[in-house]
Amino acid sequence: MSSLNKIPANSALVIIDVQNDYFTHGAYPQCQVDEALARTLHSVQRAQQQAIPIILVQHIADTTQGEAPFFNPNTQGVEIHPALLAELPNASIVVKQFADSFDGTELTHLLQDMQVKHLLLCGIMTQNCVTHTALSPAAQAYSVQVIADACTAPTQMVHHIALSALARRVALINSQDL
């Protein structure tokens, strides 16, 4: 893992899919999700201290073909976790329907408007939405770092496999490095 002494000024913290369905009473609880949330909140505080913009990404299922296993519109599970919303009541929220947070969303335009050059990514699920966003063709325009300990997956093994694969393409850091 690499280390940051200070978050670069032209950065944005992008928090992917920290939504109720991934927590204890949700439709698809993830491994050590409360610990990942705590590290995400630490990352939020560090970004706020350094005046770094923070963007929340929310997955809302496309139910035109029927109900999805989770993240269905107008459910408690689709909502962004309340602890995150309490810290970021005015954050920009990018809504997506695909694993890649850039795919079919306004994320690229939002980042361009903010003159962002460096992305700090974290969220749920490491092996899916975090990886797809970090490796997106649209992400190639940025220096990307994944905050590894502020991510989680269905199991620790899946989380570590995803991080190992990501490490070959993007830098991994920990929330304490911020």
Side-chain angles (χ1 to χ4, degrees):
M1 306 257 171
S2 64
S3 178
L4 282 180
N5 293 328
K6 182 178 186 316
I7 301 171
N10 57 350
S11 297
L13 172 60
V14 179
I15 302 170
I16 304 167
D17 300 350
V18 179
Q19 296 170 242
N20 292 332
D21 268 341
Y22 285 146
F23 288 82
T24 302
H25 299 291
Y28 194 30
Q30 301 294 294
C31 181
Q32 298 180 350
V33 70
D34 293 322
E35 292 86 345
L37 175 62
R39 293 181 196 110
T40 298
L41 291 170
H42 170 79
S43 300
V44 164
Q45 292 168 352
R46 294 292 297 140
Q48 289 173 325
Q49 290 168 356
Q50 297 177 52
I52 300 300
I54 301 168
I55 300 167
L56 300 174
V57 177
Q58 179 183 24
H59 194 114
I60 300 179
D62 175 5
T63 56
T64 58
Q65 302 301 311
E67 190 170 308
F70 51 90
F71 293 161
N72 286 293
N74 305 312
T75 64
Q76 183 68 16
V78 77
E79 299 301 322
I80 294 170
H81 194 280
L84 202 50
L85 288 177
E87 284 293 317
L88 300 165
N90 300 312
S92 297
I93 298 175
V94 172
V95 174
K96 69 179 180 66
Q97 292 185 320
F98 304 103
D100 178 350
S101 298
F102 290 98
D103 190 357
T105 73
E106 63 185 35
L107 183 57
T108 296
H109 297 296
L110 189 57
L111 294 170
Q112 287 172 344
D113 289 348
M114 295 176 175
Q115 300 181 330
V116 169
K117 303 286 185 222
H118 182 84
L119 296 180
L120 295 165
L121 303 178
C122 65
I124 310 170
M125 297 188 276
T126 315
Q127 83 289 359
N128 192 25
C129 297
V130 174
T131 297
H132 280 76
T133 300
L135 300 179
S136 172
Q140 292 176 6
Y142 307 94
S143 168
V144 177
Q145 292 183 304
V146 172
I147 308 169
D149 66 342
C151 297
T152 192
T155 68
Q156 276 298 98
M157 182 183 295
V158 169
H159 174 68
H160 289 297
I161 290 169
L163 290 176
S164 179
L166 270 174
R168 296 182 49 78
R169 304 269 300 277
V170 301
L172 302 181
I173 62 171
N174 283 313
S175 57
Q176 296 304 314
D177 296 331
L178 299 176

